[in-house]
């Protein structure tokens, strides 16, 4: 953890060195970004002290990647219904994964006994 924090501090110092304020005392866009990294250091590095925090909070983008990849490969969706079915399946598998349930297990259950549903807060 100390090593990561030291490297982070070094990167911020280097960023400040490479992006000093201009004559008016204003920072460039890069300089402003460096200062945000300095200001929000504890939030950015929270994953180093709290193992419940994932390395990235970009789950929404990761959920969209398969859709964009499919669109890139096929150049388009053939039907709106096909897109809706794909999105429904991806959402179902993503929800299961977020609850720690294996994708293959929920698909087997879907086709044998019916859909898997996450427990509600009241039934936990």
């Amino acid at each position: 953890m100390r090593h990561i924090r030291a490297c982070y501090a070094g990167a911020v110092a280097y960023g400040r060195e490479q992006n000093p304020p201009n004559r008016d005392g204003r920072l460039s866009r890069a300089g402003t970004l460096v200062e945000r990294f300095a200001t929000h250091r504890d939030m950015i590095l929270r994953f180093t002290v709290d193992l419940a925090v994932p390395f990235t909070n970009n789950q929404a983008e990761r959920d969209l990647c398969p859709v964009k990849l499919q669109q890139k490969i096929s150049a388009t969706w053939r039907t709106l219904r096909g897109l809706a079915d794909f999105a429904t399946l991806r959402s179902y598998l993503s929800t299961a994964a977020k609850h720690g349930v294996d994708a293959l297990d929920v698909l087997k259950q879907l086709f044998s006994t019916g859909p898997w549903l996450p427990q509600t807060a009241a039934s936990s």
Side-chain angles (χ1 to χ4, degrees):
M1 179 181 93
R2 285 185 189 157
H3 178 70
I4 292 172
R5 288 189 172 269
C7 289
Y8 190 89
V12 168
Y14 182 75
R16 284 177 171 155
E17 177 185 308
Q18 295 296 310
N19 299 284
N22 63 17
R23 291 180 189 168
D24 300 335
R26 289 188 291 171
L27 291 170
S28 64
R29 289 177 64 187
T32 302
L33 181 62
V34 169
E35 291 308 315
R36 284 186 187 154
F37 274 101
T39 301
H40 299 291
R41 181 193 73 225
D42 291 335
M43 286 189 332
I44 294 169
L45 295 175
R46 184 159 302 159
F47 74 95
T48 64
V49 294
D50 185 355
L51 296 179
V53 176
F55 175 72
T56 178
N57 66 349
N58 212 354
Q59 184 64 45
E61 185 174 313
R62 282 181 283 170
D63 286 343
L64 281 176
C65 272
V67 175
K68 297 304 283 180
L69 180 63
Q70 174 65 28
Q71 186 179 21
K72 181 178 167 183
I73 291 169
S74 300
T76 185
W77 289 95
R78 298 198 188 271
T79 66
L80 194 53
R81 180 68 202 170
L83 173 59
D85 290 344
F86 184 84
T88 300
L89 179 61
R90 291 300 309 172
S91 175
Y92 181 69
L93 295 175
S94 178
T95 301
K98 290 173 187 171
H99 286 270
V101 182
D102 183 64
L104 188 56
D105 291 340
V106 296
L107 289 174
K108 285 180 191 174
Q109 181 179 338
L110 176 64
F111 292 111
S112 60
T113 60
W116 166 86
L117 296 173
Q119 291 182 340
T120 62
S123 65
S124 295

